Amino acid sequence: VQLQASGGGLVQDGGSLRLSCAASGSRFSIQNMGWYRQAPGKQRELVAGITFRGTTTYEDSVKGRFTISRDDAKNTGYLQMNSLKPEDTAVYYCNIHHRWLPILSGAFDYWGRGTLVTVSS
């Protein structure tokens, strides 16, 4: 499995970005997917997750601002981030698993390249 997150960049407080996660080497349609972030000096945390059926979950601080989605035909997942805040600054990663618990725990041996999101105040 190869994962490639993209779409990060520098944005002002209140701005928006859309991240993409391209997956290859796996049947994406039967995988659950999670978006994670790691800020400097902090542990990586789950930001949002989506099951293969489309059920979603969000970390409390991003509820109402971030939306996770997927396009199985393109083997790609997305994270639409609106009303960005400086505290959202982090490297964002995606990962997939056929079971839901690893998505929630973030206990993966493999992480693809993340994408840096910087929100200026």
Side-chain angles (χ1 to χ4, degrees), residues 105-116:
S105 68
F108 294 99
D109 293 328
Y110 166 75
W111 290 92
R113 191 171 70 179
T115 186
L116 176 62

Side-chain angles (χ1 to χ4, degrees), residues 15-60:
S16 298
L17 283 173
R18 188 194 195 202
L19 305 184
S20 298
C21 173
S24 61
S26 175
R27 284 184 62 192
F28 185 75
S29 63
I30 63 171
Q31 302 288 340
N32 304 301
M33 187 188 75
W35 280 100
Y36 305 81
R37 66 185 178 189
Q38 186 167 22
K42 295 187 177 181
Q43 288 190 333
R44 185 150 35 200
E45 64 175 355
L46 175 67
V47 175
I50 186 167
T51 70
F52 69 95
R53 295 182 187 276
T55 302
T56 59
T57 188
Y58 296 92
E59 193 268 328
D60 285 347

Side-chain angles (χ1 to χ4, degrees), residues 80-111:
Q80 177 67 43
M81 305 187 296
N82 299 328
S83 302
L84 282 162
K85 305 175 181 180
E87 51 264 44
D88 295 318
T89 295
V91 178
Y92 284 71
Y93 301 86
C94 58
N95 223 319
I96 60 174
H97 202 281
H98 62 278
R99 293 168 58 194
W100 187 234
L101 185 57
I103 297 294
L104 295 178
S105 68
F108 294 99
D109 293 328
Y110 166 75
W111 290 92

